[in-house]
Amino acid sequence: VFGLSSVAQVVLGRGDFGQHLSINLGFGIGVTLGIHAAGGISGAHLNAAITLTHCILGNLPWRKLPAYLIGQFLGSFTAAATVFGLYYDALYDYTKGNFTVTGLTATASIFSTYPAPYVSLLGGFFTEFTATVMLMLGILIIHDEKNNGALKGTQALLTGILVLGIGLGMGMNTGYAINPSRDLPPRVFTAIAGWGMDVFTAGHCWWWVPLTAPILGSLAGVLIHKLFIDFHNQPVPESGNEKGQPAVETS
């Protein structure tokens, strides 16, 4: 809701009510609050690519995958519907009732990601892959208690800042979906709500890239973390040092 509504305000306000930075801040704030809301209940699985990666690694039972994916889909779909209702009057005024995916008054990009006109399908795939690698690496580093993990209670804020950083540096080409759960459900909603099947054919049938590239990027992020950080981590001290001084407790 925070992310999509910030995009809606920038697009429908024609730049008078926010810029690119405000969109990135909106998504960062939304991620932070989402983790605080669900972190203690479900681990705050807000991203299908990361959930699937945890299943592949054995950190999450496969039997739980459908429940997580359904929850993510319903949450994202409901968010799109909420923002559509919130800004329906502005949408109608901006488009004169003609909801389009491309053109001068295109509004489908409020809800889902689409590649910039100059971006090739391969270039867009690489962008989403790389951005998700950075997302997964950042999350693993923030929670890495064997290394220099974040202080307890700051993980949600730092993850929100991580998403903000990805948007600031890697959002121009594709809008940084980095999450199948963030992209597909709103796309399905727009197909139902008046934009039609163009939402699946636009951008050389772009819709499948935000589903596959984040999954591969998430797996690559785990591999990079294992090879260059985790395998080299020193074990957490369990007792005092040789001189009898208490060991420094890690976060």
Side-chain angles (χ1 to χ4, degrees), residues 168-187:
L168 289 175
M170 290 172 263
M172 184 174 74
N173 286 344
T174 63
Y176 74 110
I178 59 174
N179 181 359
S181 308
R182 171 262 179 274
D183 195 82
L184 180 60
R187 196 178 300 273

Side-chain angles (χ1 to χ4, degrees), residues 28-195:
I29 292 169
V31 167
T32 298
L33 294 177
I35 294 172
H36 275 297
I41 300 171
S42 66
H45 283 237
L46 312 179
N47 189 325
I50 293 178
T51 301
L52 182 60
T53 298
H54 279 298
C55 288
I56 293 173
L57 295 176
N59 298 330
L60 183 72
W62 283 97
R63 59 183 174 80
K64 291 187 176 182
L65 180 64
Y68 277 81
L69 296 185
I70 291 171
Q72 292 163 8
F73 187 102
L74 291 177
S76 190
F77 187 91
T78 305
T82 300
V83 172
F84 178 78
L86 182 68
Y87 280 110
Y88 179 78
D89 292 336
L91 272 167
Y92 197 89
D93 178 71
Y94 184 83
T95 63
K96 308 306 178 188
N98 183 26
F99 298 161
T100 59
V101 179
T102 58
L104 295 177
T105 58
T107 48
S109 60
I110 291 174
F111 300 92
S112 295
T113 63
Y114 294 87
Y118 58 83
V119 176
S120 66
L121 202 60
L122 180 59
F125 191 98
F126 183 68
T127 298
E128 288 294 325
F129 172 85
T130 304
T132 313
V133 168
M134 300 309 297
L135 174 68
M136 192 63 180
L137 266 176
I139 291 173
L140 291 173
I141 291 168
I142 289 170
H143 291 86
D144 190 352
E145 295 186 356
K146 292 189 295 182
N147 187 12
N148 190 24
L151 295 175
K152 184 178 181 181
T154 65
Q155 293 92 340
L157 176 61
L158 289 174
T159 305
I161 294 174
L162 170 63
V163 172
L164 169 62
I166 291 172
L168 289 175
M170 290 172 263
M172 184 174 74
N173 286 344
T174 63
Y176 74 110
I178 59 174
N179 181 359
S181 308
R182 171 262 179 274
D183 195 82
L184 180 60
R187 196 178 300 273
V188 172
F189 174 81
T190 51
I192 297 171
W195 283 264

Side-chain angles (χ1 to χ4, degrees), residues 1-6 75 78-80 82-83 86:
V1 171
F2 279 99
L4 298 186
S5 61
S6 65
T78 305
T82 300
V83 172
L86 182 68

